[in-house]
Amino acid sequence: MPRRGLILQTRTHWLLLGLALLCSLVLFLYLLECAPQTDGNAPLPGVIGENYGKEYYQALLQEQEEHYQTRATSLKRQIAQLKQELQEMSEKMRSLQERKNIGANGIGYQGNKEQTPSDLLEFLHSQIDKAEVSRGAKLPSEYGVIPFESFTLMKVFQLEMGLTRHPEEKPVRKDKRDELVEVIEAGLEVINNPDEDDEQEDEDGPLGEKMIFNENDFIEGYYRTERDKGTQYELFFKKADLMEYRHVTLFRPFGPLMKVKSEMIDITRSIINIIVPLAERTEAFVQFMQNFSESNFHNYTLVSLNEEFNRGRGLNVGARAWDKGEVLMFFCDVDIYFSAEFLNSCRLNAEPGKKVFYPVVFSLYNPAIVYASQDVPPPVEQQLVHKKDSGFWRDFGFGMTCQYRSDFLTIGGFDMEVKGWGGEDVHLYRKYLHGDLIVIRTPVPGLFHLWHEKRCADELTPEQYRMCIQSKAMNEASHSHLGMLVFREEIEMHLHKQAYRTNSEAVG
C-alpha cells in the first residue's frame, strides 16, 4: 500500500510539472507576439515591406503610456469607491450596534461613545415630540404647570425672583442676555428666509421689494424650560403699518447625558479650619459654642485683637494664623448653625486651585412671630426647618464660604478698606468671579442663619434708616405673618364681633 501511494504521488508531481512548463511556453510565445520588434531592419506591422521611423515608435510609446495612465486612474477611482463603501458599511454596523445596546439597557445614556449625526438629530427631534410644545400634558394639579416667563428687547418679566431679583428687570447674567439675543436673531432668520413647509405667505414692501423684518419688529416673547427636555420659545413679530403678526416657535432640545468624569473622593483626612470673627455678642457666642461642642469638635484657638472691629481683618488674621500648611477654611459667623453634614458638603465642593464653595444660607425669621401661637418658641434644634413661614434662602449673602487657604492667599484675601460689618464678603466673592476658579453657588440644607434683633442707629441718615428698616422687615417675618401684624386690629375686631354674635344667639 505505501509503494502504490508513492507511485501515485510521483505521477501527480510530474503531471503538475508538465502543466507548469506548458503554461510557461504559452506565456513566452504570447510575449514574443506582443512585444515590439527590436531589429531595425525587420518589417513592422502594417503594409508588408514598409519601414517605420522614430516618430512611429514615439507615437506608439505615447499611446501605450496614455492607456496605462487611463487604466491606473480607473483603478484608483474604483479603490476610492470601495473604501467609501467600506467606511459607510462600518458606520452602519456601529450605528446598529449602538441601537442594540440602547435597547438592551433601556436608557438613552451614551457615556462618551461617538454618535452619528443622524442618531443625534433623531434624538433631538424626539425631545421636541416629548415636550409640551404641540400638545398639552395631563397634570395632577394647578401647581404642575410649567409657567412661561415673558420678555421684550429690553426687559424680562419673571416669576421666580428670590430676594435679589425684581418682577421686571434687564437680564443681568451674560448667558441669559446672549440666549435671548440669539433666540430673536433665530426668529428673524426663520421669518426672512422661510422654508418650503413654513405656513406663511411672502409679503412685499410698499415698493414691491421683499419685506424684511428686524429686531425692532419684535413685540414680545415667552419661554419656559422643561428640565429633562429643553427650552421652548414663542416669539411674536409685527410691522408697525401692518395688522398681521408673525409667530415663530423655537425649541432648544437638551442632548443626551454624557459622562464627564467619575472619581472617588476621600474626605476622612480633610481638616476644616472654622474661622469666626467676633465683637461683643457674648450670648450668641455661648449659643454657638454649645452647638459647636455637641458635634465633638476640639482644638480651639482664640486670637485677640485690640483694635476697632473689622470682619475682613478678623478673617484675614484667622486665615494667616494657621501655620501647618494647606487647609480647608470655613468662614463662619457667630449666629450661624451648621451640621456635620454641611461640613462634608464643604469638603466635597471645594478643591485647591479649582473650586471655591459659596453656599446659600437659610435665614430663620423671628421665632416670637413664627411661633406666636405657642407660649414660648421651641428649642433652636426644632426651629431648623425649611418652610415658607419659618425663613428664606438668603441669596444676597456671601459671608459663608469654604475655600482653601492657598486660594484665599493667592487672590489677595479681604479688602481692608471696608470698615465695620458687611461689604468685605462681596468684594472677595467678586474676586473669585473675575478669576479662573469655579464658584459653586447652591442652597444647602444643613446651614442656618439664626434670627437676631437688628438695631437701626439714630446716627443714620433718613435714607440709610429707611433701608435699615426695610432690611429688618425682610428678616423679621414672612409676607403672610407681616400681613397679620399689619391687620391685627381689624382681625381682633372681627373676632370680637364673632364672639358677640355667638353669645347673643346663645342668650336668645
Side-chain angles (χ1 to χ4, degrees):
M1 291 296 293
R3 181 176 180 81
R4 185 177 301 177
L6 180 61
I7 296 173
L8 180 61
Q9 291 179 0
T10 304
R11 291 178 178 177
T12 304
H13 174 75
W14 284 107
L15 179 61
L16 293 176
L17 182 59
L19 290 175
L21 292 175
L22 180 62
C23 291
S24 301
L25 180 61
V26 172
L27 179 61
F28 179 74
L29 294 176
Y30 175 79
L31 293 175
L32 290 177
E33 181 68 22
C34 296
Q37 299 290 337
T38 58
D39 187 2
N41 298 323
L44 295 174
V47 181
I48 298 177
E50 185 177 358
N51 294 329
Y52 290 85
K54 182 179 179 181
E55 291 79 6
Y56 175 81
Y57 284 106
Q58 291 178 344
L60 181 61
L61 290 174
Q62 183 176 359
E63 181 181 354
Q64 293 293 329
E65 183 178 0
E66 292 176 354
H67 172 73
Y68 291 142
Q69 289 180 351
T70 303
R71 181 59 178 169
T73 303
S74 177
L75 291 174
K76 289 180 180 180
R77 183 170 57 252
Q78 293 179 23
I79 292 173
Q81 291 176 352
L82 290 174
K83 286 184 177 180
Q84 183 177 358
E85 292 177 1
L86 181 61
Q87 183 178 0
E88 292 176 355
M89 185 63 67
S90 299
E91 291 176 353
K92 289 181 180 180
M93 292 295 293
R94 185 169 61 250
S95 177
L96 290 174
Q97 184 64 34
E98 289 177 355
R99 293 183 182 180
K100 180 180 179 181
N101 294 337
I102 294 175
N105 297 332
I107 55 177
Y109 171 66
Q110 291 294 306
N112 286 336
K113 296 179 180 178
E114 293 183 1
Q115 287 184 319
T116 62
S118 59
D119 290 338
L120 184 58
L121 187 61
E122 181 180 353
F123 176 84
L124 297 179
H125 278 293
S126 69
Q127 292 287 74
I128 301 176
D129 296 336
K130 289 185 291 185
E132 193 178 353
V133 178
S134 302
R135 61 181 183 275
K138 295 181 179 180
L139 303 174
S141 68
E142 65 272 21
Y143 302 107
V145 68
I146 302 176
F148 284 88
E149 293 186 344
S150 60
F151 65 98
T152 62
L153 279 177
M154 301 300 296
K155 295 181 179 180
V156 175
F157 306 89
Q158 53 204 2
L159 292 176
E160 299 180 2
M161 296 179 295
L163 294 174
T164 57
R165 301 167 62 189
H166 303 281
E168 171 192 311
E169 67 179 15
K170 295 182 179 180
V172 177
R173 285 173 33 190
K174 183 178 182 300
D175 62 333
K176 176 58 65 177
R177 294 197 309 269
D178 294 345
E179 175 195 11
L180 298 182
V181 169
E182 179 190 7
V183 167
I184 294 175
E185 291 178 349
L188 291 172
E189 177 66 21
V190 171
I191 293 178
N192 294 327
N193 299 286
D195 295 331
E196 295 180 357
D197 55 349
D198 289 339
E199 296 180 359
Q200 63 181 46
E201 297 180 358
D202 293 335
E203 296 187 35
D204 297 331
L207 301 179
E209 74 282 5
K210 180 181 178 181
M211 184 176 296
I212 300 297
F213 285 75
N214 56 50
E215 62 179 15
N216 295 324
D217 300 319
F218 175 69
I219 304 300
E220 63 179 356
Y222 311 104
Y223 67 92
R224 66 176 177 180
T225 300
E226 297 184 56
R227 298 297 179 88
D228 60 336
K229 301 177 182 69
T231 303
Q232 175 186 355
Y233 306 90
E234 304 290 341
L235 310 176
F236 297 90
F237 300 84
K238 180 183 178 297
K239 287 289 187 182
D241 53 347
L242 297 178
M243 295 300 295
E244 294 83 5
Y245 284 80
R246 292 291 183 89
H247 174 210
V248 176
T249 299
L250 300 176
F251 193 82
R252 189 193 302 272
F254 294 155
L257 293 173
M258 298 185 65
K259 182 183 71 177
V260 177
K261 67 178 179 179
S262 176
E263 60 182 352
M264 182 179 295
I265 303 177
D266 183 10
I267 62 173
T268 57
R269 299 182 179 180
S270 179
I271 299 175
I272 297 183
N273 188 12
I274 302 175
I275 305 176
V276 183
L278 181 65
E280 302 176 349
R281 303 286 307 279
T282 55
E283 294 182 1
F285 182 65
V286 171
Q287 178 68 48
F288 178 84
M289 292 305 298
Q290 181 180 349
N291 301 334
F292 199 72
S293 301
E294 290 177 357
S295 301
N296 296 322
F297 293 108
H298 53 280
N299 293 337
Y300 307 101
T301 301
L302 178 63
V303 180
S304 180
L305 299 177
N306 187 19
E307 57 187 60
E308 182 183 358
F309 177 75
N310 183 305
R311 182 176 184 271
R313 164 72 173 157
L315 292 173
N316 264 341
V317 171
R320 288 174 166 81
W322 179 270
D323 57 358
K324 300 178 182 179
E326 182 70 291
V327 68
L328 176 59
M329 304 183 302
F330 170 36
F331 293 155
C332 188
D333 285 340
V334 71
D335 46 18
I336 292 296
Y337 186 101
F338 59 87
S339 64
E341 289 75 15
F342 164 74
L343 295 181
N344 287 337
S345 299
C346 230
R347 295 181 174 100
L348 293 172
N349 290 286
E351 187 175 352
K354 292 186 178 181
K355 295 186 296 185
V356 292
F357 187 39
Y358 272 86
V360 181
V361 181
F362 192 79
S363 188
L364 297 176
Y365 291 132
N366 187 348
I369 299 177
V370 175
Y371 305 98
S373 59
Q374 304 180 20
D375 295 336
V376 293
V380 173
E381 292 77 10
Q382 298 181 17
Q383 299 179 27
L384 305 178
V385 292
H386 302 90
K387 294 184 178 179
K388 189 174 183 180
D389 286 335
S390 64
F392 63 96
W393 291 111
R394 201 180 188 90
D395 57 353
F396 54 82
F398 307 96
M400 307 308 111
T401 173
C402 297
Q403 51 193 261
Y404 276 85
R405 185 174 183 268
S406 58
D407 295 328
F408 176 77
L409 297 178
T410 300
I411 208 166
F414 287 101
D415 185 357
M416 294 294 96
E417 299 299 324
V418 179
K419 303 298 182 182
W421 192 280
E424 76 293 327
D425 50 358
V426 181
H427 286 81
L428 180 64
Y429 183 68
R430 289 172 178 169
K431 284 184 180 180
Y432 283 116
L433 295 180
H434 298 157
D436 296 329
L437 271 65
I438 300 173
V439 177
I440 305 296
R441 179 74 167 163
T442 179
V444 290
L447 191 62
F448 293 86
H449 177 269
L450 304 179
W451 180 88
H452 59 86
E453 186 175 0
K454 184 178 181 65
R455 300 183 181 277
C456 298
D458 295 334
E459 293 79 11
L460 297 176
T461 65
E463 178 64 19
Q464 289 177 328
Y465 191 83
R466 182 184 65 82
M467 295 178 63
C468 181
I469 292 297
Q470 288 180 344
S471 176
K472 183 176 181 178
M474 182 181 299
N475 291 272
E476 196 72 12
S478 65
H479 187 275
S480 59
H481 278 156
L482 288 177
M484 297 291 287
L485 293 176
V486 171
F487 299 106
R488 176 184 296 175
E489 294 184 0
E490 184 177 339
I491 294 172
E492 291 178 351
M493 185 179 297
H494 171 75
L495 294 176
H496 179 73
K497 290 180 179 179
Q498 287 291 98
Y500 177 78
R501 184 179 303 165
T502 301
N503 293 333
S504 298
E505 292 176 355
V507 172

